[in-house]
């Protein structure tokens, strides 16, 4: 079973798992954009989620 799970996590070229690819991409983004980028997208995401909650409350 563990072997099947490991195979599902491999990408098509079989060089790294999806987890490894995600980590590598996140590290590259962090190096190119920096802290301010993450603060801004976090704020925007929080505002969007707040609006979603408000809209759900209005429907109930």
């Amino acid at each position: 079973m563990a072997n099947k799970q490991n195979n599902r996590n491999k990408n098509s070229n079989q060089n790294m798992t999806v987890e490894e690819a995600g980590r590598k991409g996140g590290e590259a983004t962090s190096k190119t954009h920096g802290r301010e980028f993450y603060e801004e997208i976090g704020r925007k995401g929080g505002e969007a989620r707040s609006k979603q909650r408000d809209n759900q409350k209005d429907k109930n």
Side-chain angles (χ1 to χ4, degrees):
M1 175 94 177
N3 193 20
K4 286 182 182 179
Q5 182 66 33
N6 190 33
N7 288 340
R8 276 186 249 148
N9 287 335
K10 292 281 186 179
N11 63 11
S12 61
N13 66 13
Q14 298 290 315
N15 288 330
M16 69 177 75
T17 65
V18 173
E19 181 181 348
E20 291 167 333
R23 184 180 306 112
K24 186 176 178 181
E27 289 172 355
T29 300
S30 178
K31 287 179 184 176
T32 59
H33 291 292
R35 182 181 179 111
E36 295 82 18
F37 170 78
Y38 286 102
E39 289 174 354
E40 183 178 348
I41 64 172
R43 180 184 48 78
K44 288 180 179 179
E47 289 173 358
R49 181 62 181 127
S50 178
K51 287 179 184 177
Q52 286 176 342
R53 272 195 303 266
D54 290 346
N55 288 339
Q56 288 174 348
K57 287 180 185 177
D58 291 342
K59 290 181 181 179
N60 291 329

